[in-house]
């Protein structure tokens, strides 16, 4: 948390300044229209609490108009040749690339994350995903089946599901939007995107770029607004065939319930409380501790795969904890536009208060506060900044050990052996991610097989690739995104029987 005396503030691009000057509307049927209620809301800069700009507050009527537009656009979009869809999606990716710096600045301003991370990680990942999905239309195939009744030719074909809804969170707004837009459009569906109310800006910019790329009106609609209004209306709408959601487990359950009435296809990427397990045979203790540090503190802990439960084997426990505490105190917390910043603010005053409540509960539970725990003042007082926080001697059943905090708060646990740590790591209803550090090959594979998690990282953490499926077990979600598996989630499979003899 050392205050950096030599700060370099990144200058806002004229295009970004211009974007923030404008009042933003909803993208419905290729046109920008105000909410039918006339209502709007402000999106804030979490680094200083100031208003960035005004955005339309979409409601039931707007969602209905967007779904209707998406229904109208569906036959035309699905009828394009695969090569035509690929070309348009590649053009979309090209425009994202051309406006990379602008997208990164918008994300930094709206979400708070360090510009360097927004630029090098978030925008790059989003572009990589868009290119990956752009390649899918020409690769979607069915199969031919060898059936045991004579005289038939039987095959399957993949068809679009229909109108899809994407409801996305604020922590990786751009990637989460593309992760749903890409496969939905590649498979020939049309989409209504509702970004998180905290971070609507990059979704709006994506809407502009989609139009510029020549994606036909109604294929991608963007309805900004709140979860209990616009989000709920989308998840209930009878015209929506599939809803893809990333967010909290609580809201995920509400969406699945709302989706039941017309049996929408549902994919849910939800919360986690992911264990990272360090065995005492790690090759390089400092490297393992550094990985554990970033597993929890990257994106200020606002990460669904955050390694928020660190299990350290007894032989290296003291050394790892000391190393982590030192490194946590060195991290530079500050505004995302400051080039030196390593950790930005939390997303909102509400989220800051929520994380602070967990820290107080942690103290009351009898856990030892090793470092951090306080809101940062001085030049950071007007933003939602929290010191990187580490608790040790945490009871396995304490709230900070069991619930997703979504902030820079780590719980460290000591363990003795493999059997014990498997039981403790698997004890929660979540099952999103897990990490294991060990040089023992057999142990690495045993652990990978037994951990309850949709992704297991061995001697690394938090890696993604568009080709690799991602998703959770248990209360961490339903279905998988990314990889060829997500294309299955955005298509219906039809079996065709032809009597040939
Ligand atoms: P967080 O608590 O981290 O903000 P949420 O799960 O509340 O995460 O939000 C993720 C997304 O879900 C946001 O776009 C939000 O507007 C939306 N959302 C919130 N509540 C509902 C709801 N009841 N129905 C549909 N969408 C919702
Ligand atoms: Mg904002």
């Amino acid at each position: 948390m050392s205050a950096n005396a030599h700060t370099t503030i990144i200058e806002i691009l004229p295009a970004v300044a211009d974007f923030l000057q404008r009042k933003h509307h909803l993208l419905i049927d290729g046109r920008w229209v105000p909410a039918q209620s006339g209502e709007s809301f402000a999106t804030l800069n979490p680094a200083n609490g100031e208003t960035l700009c005004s955005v339309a507050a979409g409601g039931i009527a707007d969602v209905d108009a967007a779904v209707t537009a998406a229904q109208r656009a569906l036959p035309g979009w699905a009828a394009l040749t695969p090569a035509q869809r690929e070309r348009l999606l590649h053009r979309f990716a090209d425009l994202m690339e051309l406006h990379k710096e602008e997208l990164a600045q918008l994300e930094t301003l709206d979400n708070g994350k360090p510009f360097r991370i927004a630029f090098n990680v978030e925008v790059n990942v989003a572009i990589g995903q868009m290119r990956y999905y752009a390649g899918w239309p020409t690769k979607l195939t069915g199969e031919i089946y060898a059936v045991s009744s004579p005289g038939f030719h039987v095959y399957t074909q993949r068809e679009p599901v229909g109108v899809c809804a994407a409801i996305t969170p604020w922590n990786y707004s751009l990637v989460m939007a593309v992760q749903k837009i890409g496969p939905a459009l590649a498979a020939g569906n049309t989409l209504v995107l509702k970004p998180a109310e905290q971070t609507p800006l990059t979704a709006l910019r994506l809407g502009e770029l989609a139009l510029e790329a020549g994606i036909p009106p109604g294929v991608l609609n963007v309805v900004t607004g709140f979860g209990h209004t616009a989000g709920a209306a989308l998840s209930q709408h009878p015209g929506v065939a599939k809803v893809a959601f990333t967010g909290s487990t609580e809201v995920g359950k509400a969406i699945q319930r709302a989706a039941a009435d017309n049996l929408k296809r549902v994919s849910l990427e939800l919360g986690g409380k992911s264990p990272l397990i360090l065995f005492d045979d790690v090759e390089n203790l400092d490297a393992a501790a550094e990985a554990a540090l970033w597993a929890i503190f990257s994106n200020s802990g606002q990460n669904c795969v955050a390694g928020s439960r660190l299990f350290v084997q007894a032989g290296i426990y003291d050394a790892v904890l000391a190393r982590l505490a030192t490194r946590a105190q060195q991290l530079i917390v500050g505004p995302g536009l400051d080039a030196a910043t390593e950790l930005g603010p939390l997303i909102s005053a509400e989220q800051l208060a929520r994380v602070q409540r967990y820290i107080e509960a942690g103290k009351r539970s009898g856990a030892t506060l090793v470092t951090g725990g306080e809101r940062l003042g001085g030049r950071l007082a007007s933003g939602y900044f929290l010191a990187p926080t580490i608790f040790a001697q945490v009871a396995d059943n304490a709230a900070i050990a069991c619930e997703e905090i979504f902030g820079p708060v780590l719980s460290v646990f000591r363990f003795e052996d493999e059997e014990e740590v498997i039981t403790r790591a698997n004890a929660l209803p979540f099952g999103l991610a897990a990490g294991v550090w060990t040089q023992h090959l057999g142990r690495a594979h045993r652990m990978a097989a037994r951990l309850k998690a949709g992704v297991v990282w061995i001697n690394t953490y938090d890696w993604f690739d568009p080709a690799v499926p991602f998703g959770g077990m248990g209360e961490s979600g339903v279905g998988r995104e990314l990889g060829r598996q997500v294309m299955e989630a955005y298509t219906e499979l039809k079996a065709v029987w032809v009597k040939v003899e």
Side-chain angles (χ1 to χ4, degrees), residues 99-376:
H99 296 280
K100 208 174 139 176
E101 200 176 342
E102 196 185 319
L103 287 166
Q105 285 199 355
L106 283 173
E107 205 50 69
T108 289
L109 288 166
D110 215 4
N111 167 280
K113 64 183 62 190
F115 173 77
R116 189 167 37 87
I117 307 284
F119 188 77
N120 292 319
V121 182
E122 177 134 25
V123 181
N124 264 340
V125 168
I127 294 166
Q129 286 196 3
M130 190 52 84
R131 293 214 180 282
Y132 173 81
Y133 298 121
W136 262 108
T138 54
K139 282 99 189 162
L140 284 174
T141 57
E143 289 175 324
I144 294 171
Y145 291 81
V147 294
S148 298
S149 330
F152 292 102
H153 176 58
V154 182
Y155 60 91
T156 50
Q157 66 184 43
R158 293 205 167 271
E159 297 179 359
V161 171
V163 173
C164 299
I167 301 176
T168 53
W170 44 260
N171 63 335
Y172 287 95
S173 330
L174 198 55
V175 170
M176 293 299 119
V178 168
Q179 203 157 302
K180 295 168 172 55
I181 296 171
L185 269 50
N189 303 285
T190 54
L191 183 80
V192 181
L193 167 65
K194 196 214 75 71
E197 53 271 37
Q198 296 87 348
T199 56
L201 298 184
T202 45
L204 292 167
R205 190 67 187 109
L206 281 181
E208 292 178 350
L209 296 179
L211 288 185
E212 194 180 330
I215 291 175
V219 171
L220 172 63
N221 306 275
V222 182
V223 176
T224 49
F226 294 94
H228 61 278
T229 51
L234 260 181
S235 50
Q236 285 160 13
H237 201 291
V240 172
K242 175 189 163 63
V243 56
F245 170 76
T246 301
S248 61
T249 294
E250 186 196 346
V251 173
K253 290 177 183 177
I255 286 177
Q256 191 162 35
R257 274 184 222 110
D261 272 347
N262 70 328
L263 290 176
K264 286 182 186 67
R265 280 76 186 110
V266 174
S267 55
L268 306 170
E269 296 286 354
L270 309 177
K273 190 73 183 177
S274 298
L276 200 166
I277 301 165
L278 305 189
F279 285 96
D280 60 15
D281 63 9
V282 288
E283 188 177 37
N284 180 335
L285 195 141
D286 283 351
E290 192 69 15
L293 180 91
W294 288 108
I296 179 64
F297 294 130
S298 79
N299 219 37
S300 299
Q302 303 169 125
N303 187 355
C304 58
V305 297
S308 50
R309 291 188 295 151
L310 177 64
F311 292 92
V312 187
Q313 205 166 14
I316 56 170
Y317 178 88
D318 291 336
V320 168
L321 188 57
R323 176 81 193 159
L324 274 173
T326 304
R327 287 288 295 121
Q329 286 159 16
Q330 289 167 346
L331 293 174
I332 301 170
V333 183
L337 284 181
D338 185 331
T341 290
E342 293 179 293
L343 300 192
L346 297 187
I347 186 69
S348 61
E350 187 189 1
Q351 184 66 8
L352 174 67
R354 191 172 166 270
V355 177
Q356 284 178 306
R357 282 196 298 277
Y358 273 112
I359 292 172
E360 291 314 310
K363 291 180 192 165
R364 282 198 308 274
S365 76
T368 305
L369 179 63
V370 177
T371 184
E374 75 280 6
R375 180 176 182 175
L376 299 175

